[in-house]
Structures are given as C-alpha cells and as structure tokens.
Amino acid sequence: MDFINLLAQLAEGMGNTLLLFVLTLVFSLPLGLLVAFGRMSNFKPVQLLFKFIIAILRGTPLMLQLLVVFFGPYYIFGVSLSASYRFIAVVLGFSINYAAYFAEIYRSGIESIPMGQREAAQVLGYSRAQTFVKIILPQMVKRVLPPVTNEVITLVKDTSLAFVLVYTEMFTLAKQIAAARTSVMPLFVAGVFYFVFNAVVAVVMERVERSLAYYN
Amino acid sequence: MNVLKMANVKKSFGDLDVLKDISVSVDKGEVVSIIGPSGSGKSTLLRCATLLEQMDSGELWYMGEKAAGNDDEGHSAYVKDLKKFRRCFGLVFQNFNLFPHYTVLKNLMDAPVSVLKRPAGEVKAEAMALLCKMGLEDKADAYPCQLSGGQQQRVSIVRALAMKPEILFFDEPTSALDPELTGEVLKVIKQLAEEKMTMVIVTHEMAFARAVSDRVIFMDGGIIVEQGKPEEVFGDTQQERTKQFLRNYQQ
C-alpha cells in the first residue's frame, strides 16, 4: 500500500519529466538542423558566430544555462516575467542546449556523405533545396541515429537538472519524499524509472535504425 | 552544329595549372575519347564541361548557346541561369554515385519527375524500357547496394539517359570495376555509340577507345598533345609524348 502511495506521489513528477523530455526533443531536433546550417555557412561571420554559440552551449553547465535563461531577461533587460515563464525557461534552456549538440551531430553526418552524391544531384539538375531534402537529409538521418540516441538517453537523465528552476520533475519529488520519509526507497524507484524510460528509448531507436537498414 | 564547344579553357588549382588553354568541340553523334596519364587534366576538363568546376578563363557553349564567355578581364563569366544547360548533358561517374536510399527505379525516375516535372507514368514506362534494354528489368526494385559494380554502372548510365541529354560524358566509367565487369559496361557504351549518341569518354581502356571512338584526344600536362581518328592516333602516332604514353600502356 505504501509503495502504491509512493508511486502515486511520484506520478506527477514522472509526467513533468516526460513532458520536458518530449518538448525538448520536439524543439531541439529541428532547431539543431538550423544551427548546423549556420555552423556550415559559407559566409564566414555567420559560421564564426554559430561556432561561438555552440562553444558556449557545450562549454558551460546546462544548469547554469537554465539560470541564465530564467533570470537573464530580468537582470539584463529589466523585464519582469510572469510565473508561467518558469516552465518556458526550462523548455527553452534545454532545447537550446540540446540543439547545439544535435547541430554538431548533424554536421558530422552531412559532411560524411560523399561529395559524389551532391555532384550527381547537381548534374541531374536538382536544386540545392531538392538535393538536401531528397538526397542528403535521408542519408544523414541514417548516419546520425546512433549518436542522436546517445544524446536522447542523456537527455532523459538530464531532465533532473530542471530542479534549479524549481520545476518539479520526478527526481526533485523523489528527493523530497526520500527526505520526508527518511527512506532511500523513493530514490531507488527514481533510478528504476530512468532505467525503464531509457530502455524504451533504446528499443524505439533500434527499431528506427532497423527500418533504415535496407541500404548501406 | 556543335553540341559542345569549349574554347581556350584555363583552370588552375592554386599554383597548379591543370588546364592550359584547351579548345575542343564535339559534333552531334560524335564519340570522342580522351586518353592521357593521371594528372593530365582529363577529368578536370570533363568537370568544367559539366559545370562541376568553374573555368578560370575560356568559353563554354552547348547547342550553339553560350553558357560562359570571357569578361573584359579575360575571366570566365557564366550566364545566370545554367539550368537549361544542365539539361543538355548527362554525366556517368567513375564511382557511379547512385542514390543508395532509392531503389533502382526511383534512381531513374526521380530526376525526370522532380526536375523536369514530367508525368510519372510516362517516365516509368521509359525507365522500364531502358532497364529491359540493359537486361536489368528484374532489378527495378533492388537497391544499389544489392547490385554488382557493373550493374550499378549500367544503372547509372540509364539514370543519365533517362534525362534525355544531348551529350553524355563518361569519367573513367570502368576504373572502379573488376576487370571481369568492365566488359558489360563497355558493351553498353558501344551500343550507345552505334545508336549515334553523342559521347565524350575519359578512359584508360585503349582498345576500347580505339574501337568505339570517332576521334581520340591525347592530353598531357593540361594541353591537347595530339588528336585525330583512332587509327591515326594509335596507328600513326605523331608526337613523341603520345608514343611514350602508348608504349608504357602496352607494357
């Protein structure tokens, strides 16, 4: 009974963790592609700007970035933001941070595709946009799946960092309950939750990989 | 009328002058082979003709229309819209460069449908007819990785033909193939020659060049050293450099 009670208490946190996870992926996966375009721009200033942005995002703690996103608007611009901004800041911070990692993964995927593919498309008269969407992107997706899976699994565990903005994701709750009950059980349950979550992620990503295994 | 005309083409990469004032033209129905040692500029010439490289200076014409000419300073200036010129030619690569994520049929159909905006049904019928001609009709639904090198190269020839080009370029079409598989590709090119397809073939297959070409061009050091009918270039070689090259080849 007590265990069921514990799960019920943690459920809200699990929902919040899942929500943060899904929203982060929804925003960061496409955003990463835009950042990758900026990073690969032939226009030097743009390329350097994105290189700098990526360096900052990868080179500083996510926790710190979340604080900057949340408190920055007030301290830098004097804008006072409503209470609901807390949640927006969490999602924004996570999405921007993960977009930087995805961008570099995408870039490596795009650059690993043989020049001949682009040249063949060019000779056949494909426009630049057609070449990217029809020829480069599908092959890039296949190549980047394993490193993207890595990031997605890291994201599942990183969601616990949202506690710095007092977002009650699951781990925050588990710690509170563990303290209140002076028991390690909630933390153990939290560990199992992450493990199962990631097992599901791994299975799904493996399926996706297999669905693209029809060509080399 | 010349299908292709290139005049006074120059191209360097850094300090290296790869093409030094090359002029060449190809008539309708003509088959031209370009031979020469590695680094002689053969492939670069082909890449300039197919707009994969920009000439530093010189003119490029297709079907009597100028795609690039020299500006006041003698640098090549390309016309704005090169699209229609790209429709004039096809290119068969050494490494095939088929799209690995598409089936053979999709490889053949995608460009005619999405670039030329032709109806899919019509394109499919033509593509299947071309595959039949090559004896590859049972491979329509296969992926390129399931084919042998020779089959892949034949598919890539069909892919180029499906765009109905005026002229077809081949960049060492058999160099990536096992000796056993070169025959099937050369046979296809020979067949195209008999059908009076205009072709420019960069090749190391001397016997093939001799048999199939109307004209052979020997290039070395970024210039055309010698050119003429195959029996002239191979049988009655004029230039010492050409003799030396052919001698090395026979050994």
Side-chain angles (χ1 to χ4, degrees):
Chain A
M1 263 309 89
D2 196 39
F3 186 69
I4 304 282
N5 196 8
L6 172 62
L7 283 184
Q9 275 182 291
L10 284 175
E12 189 204 342
M14 290 178 188
N16 282 343
T17 293
L18 194 64
L19 183 65
L20 175 57
F21 171 80
V22 170
L23 287 179
T24 300
L25 285 187
V26 165
F27 293 119
S28 64
L29 285 169
L31 184 61
L33 197 55
L34 294 182
V35 176
F37 286 150
R39 173 68 181 79
M40 292 186 297
S41 169
N42 290 328
F43 186 53
K44 254 290 174 327
V46 172
Q47 189 197 103
L48 287 174
L49 174 69
F50 277 89
K51 215 170 163 174
F52 178 70
I53 292 171
I54 290 170
I56 296 286
L57 290 171
R58 293 202 304 182
T60 59
L62 173 55
M63 203 189 288
L64 180 61
Q65 290 168 24
L66 289 172
L67 290 170
V68 169
V69 171
F70 184 61
F71 293 110
Y74 177 76
Y75 282 107
I76 302 169
F77 306 109
V79 193
S80 52
L81 292 148
S82 63
S84 64
Y85 180 65
R86 189 177 294 278
F87 178 64
I88 296 173
V90 173
V91 175
L92 199 62
F94 269 88
S95 299
I96 294 173
N97 178 269
Y98 271 79
Y101 285 94
F102 287 138
E104 286 295 90
I105 292 173
Y106 294 159
R107 183 171 69 90
S108 73
I110 290 168
E111 287 176 354
S112 75
I113 291 166
M115 200 55 203
Q117 290 289 307
R118 229 174 284 252
E119 292 183 348
Q122 188 185 325
V123 169
L124 288 167
Y126 288 93
S127 67
R128 283 183 65 153
Q130 280 176 323
T131 303
F132 184 76
V133 173
K134 289 172 153 276
I135 309 301
I136 306 298
L137 187 65
Q139 298 187 59
M140 182 273 273
V141 167
K142 181 184 162 92
R143 285 167 191 236
V144 301
L145 273 177
V148 163
T149 303
N150 257 343
E151 287 306 315
V152 173
I153 285 174
T154 305
L155 171 61
V156 170
K157 295 172 288 180
D158 271 0
T159 52
S160 61
L161 291 172
F163 82 91
V164 286
L165 297 188
V166 205
Y167 178 70
T168 46
E169 45 69 46
M170 205 231 9
F171 200 69
T172 309
L173 265 183
K175 271 192 302 185
Q176 286 168 3
I177 300 168
R181 296 190 180 190
T182 55
S183 149
V184 292
M185 195 55 178
L187 296 177
F188 179 74
V189 172
V192 172
F193 169 77
Y194 286 120
F195 183 78
V196 172
F197 195 158
N198 273 325
V200 172
V201 168
V203 167
V204 169
M205 294 305 276
E206 207 186 312
R207 281 255 167 101
V208 179
E209 267 184 57
R210 226 180 302 145
S211 74
L212 293 176
Y214 63 88
Y215 72 89
N216 295 323
Chain B
M1 183 183 56
N2 293 326
V3 177
L4 166 73
K5 189 175 133 193
M6 299 175 89
N8 309 103
V9 176
K10 289 180 190 153
K11 174 77 186 172
S12 2
F13 294 109
D15 289 339
L16 188 68
D17 298 330
V18 182
L19 299 177
K20 305 169 190 162
D21 200 10
I22 294 234
S23 296
V24 63
S25 58
V26 181
D27 287 334
K28 196 161 175 54
E30 198 181 11
V31 178
V32 177
S33 290
I34 305 178
I35 58 170
S38 304
S40 58
K42 316 180 292 283
S43 286
T44 305
L45 184 65
L46 219 57
R47 291 175 62 83
C48 285
T50 51
L51 303 169
L52 290 173
E53 298 286 354
Q54 283 207 357
M55 308 176 291
D56 294 336
S57 125
E59 296 178 359
L60 175 64
W61 301 68
Y62 276 103
M63 310 300 291
E65 268 193 80
K66 202 185 229 173
N70 286 325
D71 61 16
D72 298 339
E73 287 157 13
H75 298 299
S76 286
Y78 287 78
V79 300
K80 267 227 170 76
D81 189 19
L82 287 168
K83 238 194 233 160
K84 66 173 174 188
F85 293 101
R86 290 213 166 88
R87 288 180 189 180
C88 291
F89 59 79
L91 172 61
V92 174
F93 295 86
Q94 183 176 344
N95 299 316
F96 331 132
N97 291 334
L98 290 171
F99 303 131
H101 55 305
Y102 286 167
T103 62
V104 165
L105 190 59
K106 177 96 169 148
N107 262 286
L108 305 183
M109 286 180 60
D110 198 62
V113 171
S114 59
V115 175
L116 302 180
K117 311 286 181 208
R118 295 182 50 211
E122 194 183 300
V123 172
K124 185 175 179 181
E126 282 177 16
M128 286 308 295
L130 282 167
L131 281 177
C132 282
K133 195 171 127 186
M134 302 273 173
L136 290 167
E137 63 275 18
D138 56 330
K139 301 292 182 195
D141 296 321
Y143 286 91
C145 63
Q146 297 168 311
L147 305 182
S148 73
Q151 288 169 333
Q152 287 190 51
Q153 191 59 302
R154 282 185 287 153
V155 170
S156 83
I157 294 172
V158 176
R159 180 174 69 174
L161 288 173
M163 297 295 280
K164 301 188 176 172
E166 298 289 341
I167 179 170
L168 200 47
F169 296 97
F170 293 83
D171 189 6
E172 302 190 24
T174 58
S175 294
L177 298 175
D178 291 341
E180 248 181 291
L181 299 175
T182 58
E184 59 184 272
V185 171
L186 296 181
K187 210 175 94 187
V188 168
I189 302 174
K190 207 174 270 180
Q191 195 181 341
L192 291 173
E194 281 159 15
E195 292 165 13
K196 290 288 158 214
M197 180 81 211
T198 313
M199 293 188 284
V200 176
I201 309 161
V202 169
T203 185
H204 289 299
E205 301 280 337
M206 296 305 146
F208 169 73
R210 185 170 193 164
V212 81
S213 321
D214 299 311
R215 178 153 52 107
V216 175
I217 294 175
F218 172 68
M219 274 179 74
D220 189 30
I223 56 164
I224 293 178
V225 175
E226 185 164 359
Q227 63 175 316
K229 291 194 168 65
E231 53 273 23
E232 293 167 4
V233 174
F234 289 108
D236 182 24
T237 315
Q238 300 296 313
Q239 301 293 324
E240 193 46 45
R241 181 67 190 96
T242 319
K243 282 182 190 161
Q244 192 189 352
F245 172 76
L246 292 174
R247 232 179 359 249
N248 286 340
Y249 239 87
Q250 277 151 6
Q251 280 163 3

